[in-house]
Amino acid sequence: MSAKDSMAKEYFADNARFADLCNNILYGGREVILPENLKERDTTEVLTALGLDKKTIAMQKMRDIFKNASIKYTGRSYVVLIGVENQSDIHYAIPVKNMFYDVMAYGNQVKETSKKHRREKDTATSDEFLSGFTKEDKLIPVITITVYLGIKEWDGPRKLSDMFGDVDEELLPFIPDYRINLLAPREITDFTGFRTSIRQLFEVLKNAYDKEKMQEVLQNDEKFSRVDRETVEAINLFAGTDIDIDEKEEVIDMCKAWEDQKNEGRELGREEGREEGRIRQAKVTALKLQKKGHSIEDIAECVDFDEETVKKWLVS
């Protein structure tokens, strides 16, 4: 698992951030899903109980995050399974990937129910016995959300049919489609619906390609004066910034840090030139990732230098 994948999984696994993410996409920012009503779904435990082989279990565990959500809304209670798939790069087959995970999740529910009926011998008809599923049995809905953490515009497919070539239009009504639930920061126009610091992460990702816009965002939003360490680390990794983080600080003033970085960058430009400044920033980032336990391979990928060069930096 790369450094970006590892950080994204850890960052959004936090119940408060996970709930904030889901509420923004599913409920327009209304606080419907509560952090305390989320429970990590241990797919390994469930699948092992079903007697599935290790290869099948491993495929299911490839999901980034999978949680059980109890929702109380409009006077009723609901239970859904919500998965989050983090993409630091554009995935041009994401509808198939997500569809596979969803089908696995539904298939696992059917198998678990079938096993229960066999154990309790409570199917009433031969049809129910052969199905392993009765007319009264119900599935828990599965929702998969794709979070794109890149700074480029998403130009990948948004539904299965986007991946088709020429198809006879008369056949289209008979071909099931699958639509992904995509959150791409470059496409967000209103960040006020977010209640946690993922708002700051997404705002930076939206504007990371334009330093002037980044400067405007940092100056006009006071929330950037107090950003938690984990979010600043995520911003550095995904947006390619190099905001300095004091090891003793848990909350960082990004406005000030950005200004300091800009001033330092100007000095570097005068003294060392643009390429030297890029190398210096890459070295700083590499050292920070090494302290977090990331491998040489992952660090080289993140800073965009070859592994031999990174090794020299880290042993010098």
Side-chain angles (χ1 to χ4, degrees):
M1 183 179 291
S2 72
K4 288 184 177 181
D5 291 337
S6 179
M7 175 171 282
K9 183 174 182 178
E10 180 180 347
Y11 186 77
F12 289 108
D14 174 80
N15 276 358
R17 296 189 188 111
F18 190 93
D20 193 19
L21 184 72
C22 294
N23 282 328
N24 190 273
I25 294 176
L26 305 177
Y27 291 102
R30 300 190 302 280
E31 202 169 7
V32 176
I33 298 176
L34 304 179
E36 59 267 28
N37 292 333
L38 291 169
K39 184 179 180 181
E40 194 74 27
R41 185 77 171 185
D42 188 346
T43 50
T44 297
E45 180 180 331
V46 172
L47 300 183
T48 301
L50 297 175
L52 299 185
D53 58 74
K54 292 182 179 179
K55 185 177 180 180
T56 303
I57 294 173
M59 287 190 293
Q60 180 63 22
K61 285 296 286 183
M62 285 170 62
R63 265 193 186 274
D64 289 339
I65 310 168
F66 201 39
K67 292 181 185 282
N68 197 99
S70 300
I71 304 171
K72 294 181 179 179
Y73 188 55
T74 61
R76 301 183 64 183
S77 295
Y78 309 88
V79 176
V80 295
L81 297 174
I82 304 176
V84 167
E85 294 302 315
N86 301 299
Q87 292 295 144
S88 54
D89 300 296
I90 298 170
H91 195 308
Y92 290 103
I94 195 68
V96 174
K97 177 184 176 183
N98 287 2
M99 183 172 62
F100 171 77
Y101 287 150
D102 289 356
V103 169
M104 283 285 292
Y106 285 123
N108 293 337
Q109 291 184 55
V110 171
K111 289 182 179 180
E112 189 173 6
T113 301
S114 178
K115 185 176 181 179
K116 176 177 177 292
H117 287 312
R118 288 198 305 271
R119 184 175 63 250
E120 298 180 0
K121 298 179 180 180
D122 59 356
T123 49
T125 68
S126 59
D127 292 333
E128 290 182 342
F129 175 78
L130 292 172
S131 303
F133 211 77
T134 71
K135 289 188 293 184
E136 288 73 29
D137 289 327
K138 302 299 178 186
L139 292 171
I140 299 174
V142 178
I143 299 171
T144 296
I145 297 169
T146 298
V147 181
Y148 172 53
L149 297 167
I151 61 176
K152 298 188 299 182
E153 290 188 7
W154 178 273
D155 63 357
R158 295 169 187 265
K159 56 184 184 297
L160 185 64
S161 57
D162 289 342
M163 299 176 64
F164 296 157
D166 292 334
V167 180
D168 185 343
E169 290 190 3
E170 289 189 50
L171 297 179
L172 288 177
F174 303 97
I175 303 174
D177 208 347
Y178 178 92
R179 176 182 55 82
I180 66 171
N181 302 302
L182 177 69
L183 189 151
R186 285 283 293 269
E187 299 174 3
I188 300 175
T189 56
D190 183 5
F191 292 90
T192 58
F194 293 105
R195 301 170 186 269
T196 67
S197 54
I198 61 175
R199 168 177 174 172
Q200 282 74 52
L201 170 61
F202 290 157
E203 280 196 83
V204 170
L205 288 174
K206 179 182 177 71
N207 298 285
Y209 70 98
D210 188 324
K211 290 187 176 180
E212 289 186 5
K213 286 187 176 181
M214 178 87 81
Q215 178 73 22
E216 183 180 342
V217 167
L218 293 175
Q219 288 180 336
N220 294 337
D221 190 342
E222 63 178 16
K223 289 184 179 294
F224 280 99
S225 64
R226 291 183 59 82
V227 185
D228 64 89
R229 170 191 290 275
E230 287 183 333
T231 298
V232 177
E233 290 175 345
I235 287 172
N236 278 342
L237 187 57
F238 295 112
T241 57
D242 189 28
I243 303 298
D244 189 47
I245 303 174
D246 191 314
E247 293 296 326
K248 299 178 182 179
E249 293 182 345
E250 292 301 323
V251 177
I252 291 88
D253 184 342
M254 277 194 63
C255 306
K256 181 178 182 302
W258 179 260
E259 281 299 322
D260 292 344
Q261 183 190 25
K262 278 181 59 182
N263 294 334
E264 185 179 348
R266 293 192 193 102
E267 188 65 28
L268 281 171
R270 287 192 293 267
E271 294 179 0
E272 301 175 333
R274 175 176 294 180
E275 181 60 18
E276 286 79 4
R278 186 176 81 89
I279 293 173
R280 180 182 178 281
Q281 289 190 353
K283 286 182 178 180
V284 171
T285 301
L287 288 169
K288 289 178 180 178
L289 291 174
Q290 183 190 42
K291 288 180 181 179
K292 292 180 175 294
H294 294 294
S295 68
I296 297 292
E297 181 182 0
D298 288 344
I299 295 172
E301 180 185 348
C302 290
V303 299
D304 199 22
F305 279 86
D306 63 83
E307 292 183 28
E308 287 301 317
T309 300
V310 172
K311 285 180 182 177
K312 291 178 183 177
W313 293 344
L314 299 179
V315 298
S316 61

Coordinates of all heavy atoms in Angstrom, one line a residue, residues 160-177:
L160 N -20.9 2.9 -15.6 CA -20.5 1.7 -16.4 C -20.6 2.0 -17.9 O -19.7 1.7 -18.7 CB -21.2 0.5 -16.0 CG -20.8 -0.9 -16.6 CD1 -19.4 -1.2 -16.2 CD2 -21.8 -2.0 -16.2
S161 N -21.7 2.6 -18.3 CA -22.0 2.8 -19.7 C -21.0 3.7 -20.4 O -20.8 3.7 -21.6 CB -23.4 3.3 -20.0 OG -23.6 4.5 -19.2
D162 N -20.3 4.6 -19.6 CA -19.2 5.4 -20.1 C -18.1 4.6 -20.6 O -17.2 5.1 -21.4 CB -18.7 6.4 -19.0 CG -19.7 7.5 -18.7 OD1 -20.7 7.7 -19.5 OD2 -19.6 8.1 -17.6
M163 N -18.0 3.4 -20.2 CA -16.9 2.5 -20.6 C -17.2 1.7 -21.8 O -16.3 1.0 -22.3 CB -16.5 1.6 -19.4 CG -16.0 2.4 -18.2 SD -15.6 1.2 -16.8 CE -14.3 0.3 -17.5
F164 N -18.4 1.7 -22.3 CA -18.8 1.0 -23.5 C -18.3 1.6 -24.8 O -18.2 2.8 -24.8 CB -20.3 0.8 -23.6 CG -21.0 0.0 -22.4 CD1 -22.3 0.2 -22.1 CD2 -20.2 -0.9 -21.7 CE1 -22.9 -0.5 -21.1 CE2 -20.8 -1.6 -20.7 CZ -22.1 -1.4 -20.3
G165 N -18.1 0.8 -25.8 CA -17.9 1.4 -27.1 C -19.2 1.6 -27.8 O -20.2 1.9 -27.1
D166 N -19.3 1.4 -29.1 CA -20.6 1.5 -29.8 C -21.5 0.4 -29.4 O -21.1 -0.8 -29.4 CB -20.3 1.5 -31.3 CG -19.6 2.7 -31.8 OD1 -19.7 3.7 -31.1 OD2 -18.9 2.6 -32.8
V167 N -22.7 0.7 -29.0 CA -23.7 -0.3 -28.6 C -25.0 0.0 -29.4 O -25.4 1.2 -29.5 CB -24.0 -0.2 -27.1 CG1 -25.0 -1.2 -26.7 CG2 -22.7 -0.5 -26.3
D168 N -25.7 -1.0 -29.9 CA -27.0 -0.9 -30.5 C -27.9 -0.2 -29.5 O -28.1 -0.8 -28.4 CB -27.5 -2.3 -30.9 CG -28.8 -2.2 -31.7 OD1 -29.5 -1.1 -31.6 OD2 -29.1 -3.2 -32.3
E169 N -28.5 0.9 -29.8 CA -29.4 1.6 -28.9 C -30.6 0.8 -28.4 O -31.1 1.0 -27.3 CB -29.9 2.9 -29.5 CG -28.8 4.0 -29.6 CD -29.3 5.3 -30.0 OE1 -30.6 5.4 -30.1 OE2 -28.5 6.2 -30.2
E170 N -31.0 -0.2 -29.3 CA -32.1 -1.0 -28.9 C -31.8 -2.0 -27.8 O -32.6 -2.5 -27.0 CB -32.6 -1.8 -30.1 CG -33.3 -0.9 -31.2 CD -34.0 -1.8 -32.2 OE1 -34.7 -2.8 -31.9 OE2 -33.7 -1.5 -33.4
L171 N -30.5 -2.2 -27.6 CA -30.0 -3.1 -26.5 C -29.8 -2.4 -25.2 O -29.8 -3.1 -24.1 CB -28.7 -3.8 -26.9 CG -28.7 -4.7 -28.2 CD1 -27.3 -5.2 -28.4 CD2 -29.7 -5.8 -28.0
L172 N -29.6 -1.1 -25.2 CA -29.3 -0.3 -24.0 C -30.3 -0.6 -22.9 O -29.9 -0.7 -21.7 CB -29.2 1.1 -24.3 CG -28.0 1.6 -25.1 CD1 -28.0 3.0 -25.4 CD2 -26.7 1.2 -24.3
P173 N -31.6 -0.6 -23.1 CA -32.6 -0.9 -22.0 C -32.4 -2.2 -21.3 O -32.8 -2.4 -20.2 CB -34.0 -0.8 -22.7 CG -33.8 0.0 -23.9 CD -32.4 -0.4 -24.4
F174 N -31.7 -3.1 -21.9 CA -31.5 -4.5 -21.4 C -30.1 -4.6 -20.7 O -29.8 -5.7 -20.1 CB -31.6 -5.5 -22.5 CG -33.0 -5.5 -23.2 CD1 -33.1 -4.8 -24.4 CD2 -34.1 -6.1 -22.6 CE1 -34.3 -4.7 -25.0 CE2 -35.3 -6.0 -23.3 CZ -35.4 -5.3 -24.5
I175 N -29.3 -3.6 -20.8 CA -27.9 -3.7 -20.2 C -27.9 -2.9 -18.9 O -28.1 -1.6 -18.9 CB -26.9 -3.1 -21.1 CG1 -26.9 -3.8 -22.5 CG2 -25.5 -3.2 -20.5 CD1 -26.0 -3.2 -23.5
P176 N -27.8 -3.5 -17.7 CA -27.8 -2.8 -16.4 C -26.6 -1.8 -16.4 O -25.5 -2.1 -16.8 CB -27.6 -3.9 -15.4 CG -28.1 -5.2 -16.1 CD -27.7 -5.0 -17.5
D177 N -26.9 -0.6 -15.9 CA -25.8 0.4 -15.8 C -25.4 0.5 -14.3 O -26.1 0.0 -13.4 CB -26.3 1.7 -16.3 CG -25.1 2.6 -16.8 OD1 -24.0 2.2 -16.5 OD2 -25.4 3.6 -17.5

